[in-house]
Amino acid sequence: MQNDRRPADDHHWMQLAVELARLCPPSDSAFAVGAVIIDADGNELARGFSRESDRVHAEESALGKLGPDPRLAGATLYSTLEPCSIRASRPDSCTRLTIKAGLARVVIAWREPPIFVARCEGVELLRAAGITVDLLPEFEAAAKEPNAHLGL
Ligand SMILES: [Zn+2]
């Protein structure tokens, strides 16, 4: 199943991630992001969004709802923004949490712009860990929309 990926599915799940990003409580010091985790058979495992609780990140929130789970081995994470690679307020970045969880693929709409961190290296670190990373630039504008107040 992992090699039978269809663009229509990618669009379906990224659209859901975009809708989740719109639920984020506004913040002047953090991005509004939505994330969904899908197993190898195309079933949703978990979803999350920024500040769903406390100062949680979207990917962190979705992964946190699962804990260790064998289905994560073939899973895909859809996130409207590149997973963070530096996290001052937590021991692990979302990139590190994703690598630790053993996901197979990450699909993002937008690479993190240098607003809060000089250079996000999420994509590079995920690929170095053997995770497939795909970008869906057709969703970039929709992913940026809930972040318009940051001056993007
Ligand atoms: Zn993060």
Side-chain angles (χ1 to χ4, degrees):
M1 287 301 288
Q2 286 180 52
N3 295 320
D4 184 29
R5 302 201 190 284
R6 291 167 295 169
D9 293 337
D10 279 350
H11 286 186
H12 170 77
W13 295 116
M14 187 58 80
Q15 183 59 43
L16 174 60
V18 163
E19 285 161 22
L20 289 165
R22 295 189 184 126
L23 301 177
C24 303
S27 168
D28 289 333
S29 58
F31 293 106
V33 181
V36 192
I37 300 171
I38 309 302
D39 73 10
D41 296 321
N43 303 304
E44 180 179 334
L45 296 179
R47 57 174 74 182
F49 57 87
S50 310
R51 297 173 295 289
E52 186 172 8
S53 64
D54 189 29
R55 296 169 61 194
V56 77
H57 283 189
E59 307 94 314
E60 177 188 22
S61 182
L63 286 166
K65 288 169 187 169
L66 291 170
D69 188 318
R71 294 172 297 176
L72 285 170
T76 296
L77 166 70
Y78 291 86
S79 180
T80 56
L81 182 68
E82 176 178 15
C84 64
S85 57
I86 297 171
R87 187 91 192 266
S89 59
R90 296 273 208 280
D92 284 331
S93 65
C94 291
T95 291
R96 186 153 169 72
L97 290 174
T98 301
I99 293 168
K100 274 185 172 178
L103 275 79
R105 183 174 178 238
V106 173
V107 182
I108 60 172
W110 180 30
R111 289 210 62 170
E112 183 175 324
I115 297 179
F116 306 119
V117 175
R119 182 161 179 261
C120 181
E121 297 182 313
V123 169
E124 288 76 11
L125 293 171
L126 290 166
R127 284 182 174 153
I131 296 174
T132 300
V133 181
D134 292 314
L135 198 61
L136 298 180
E138 59 270 43
F139 282 90
E140 182 172 326
K144 281 180 177 174
E145 197 182 274
N147 295 286
H149 64 287
L150 297 174
L152 299 162

